[in-house]
Amino acid sequence: MEDSSSATLDKYWMEYALSLAVAAGRAGEVPVGALITKNDRLIAEGANQSITTVDPTAHAEIIALRAAAKALGNYRLPGCTLYVTIEPCSMCVGALVHARIERLVYGAPEPRTGAVCSAIELLGASFYNHRVAVTSGVMQQACSTVIQSFFRNKRLKS
């Protein structure tokens, strides 16, 4: 069970990730924001950039992982927590494992492509040699609202 200080910190960082998601949405990207902390300090941040960079791998999590690796001078990120507004996809889950992220905190589930517990449960796969602790549902409603509003507005415009 999480203590209240951990839950408060998770909410603080998720609010930050949500601000990154909102900015991504304003830029025309799918509004997903991510950040990485170590010892409760911000190390790196990212937001979806696949459309603007014409790069299918430019998910918020991948952008944050790349920035954290550069900031720490190591492609392994032990002791780090990744916060993301939406449940990661299979590509991002694989990257979290390879980076040795200690903990994943996400807001809303992603029923179609979520690879933590929704569409597939990759983090529990026995073939991975690293385990990532998971906390889900942090600010779930706010995270869901941001992405649902984005797609609702997109459908109205087309």
Side-chain angles (χ1 to χ4, degrees), residues 6-29:
S6 177
T8 301
L9 202 52
D10 286 351
K11 185 175 184 247
Y12 171 82
W13 290 119
M14 191 58 71
E15 286 173 348
Y16 190 110
L18 265 169
S19 73
L20 298 170
V22 168
R26 285 191 191 119
E29 295 284 350

Side-chain angles (χ1 to χ4, degrees), residues 22 25 37 77 80 84 96 102 104 114 127 140-141 146 152-153:
V22 168
T37 64
L77 303 171
C80 290
V84 62
L96 296 176
E102 183 175 310
L104 165 66
F127 52 81
Q140 180 174 338
Q141 188 57 53
V146 167
R152 186 172 24 261
N153 291 338

Side-chain angles (χ1 to χ4, degrees), residues 15-96:
E15 286 173 348
Y16 190 110
L18 265 169
S19 73
L20 298 170
V22 168
R26 285 191 191 119
E29 295 284 350
V30 174
V32 178
L35 60 92
I36 295 175
T37 64
K38 185 167 186 171
N39 300 323
D40 300 327
R41 292 185 52 228
L42 181 66
I43 301 299
E45 62 186 55
N48 273 4
Q49 298 177 17
S50 294
I51 296 166
T52 54
T53 62
V54 194
D55 178 358
T57 69
H59 290 194
E61 301 94 322
I62 301 298
I63 301 297
L65 286 167
R66 288 175 180 158
K70 284 184 181 169
L72 297 176
N74 192 344
Y75 73 105
R76 302 279 195 208
L77 303 171
C80 290
T81 298
L82 184 134
Y83 291 85
V84 62
T85 54
I86 301 296
E87 178 183 1
C89 70
S90 58
M91 173 184 69
C92 293
V93 164
L96 296 176

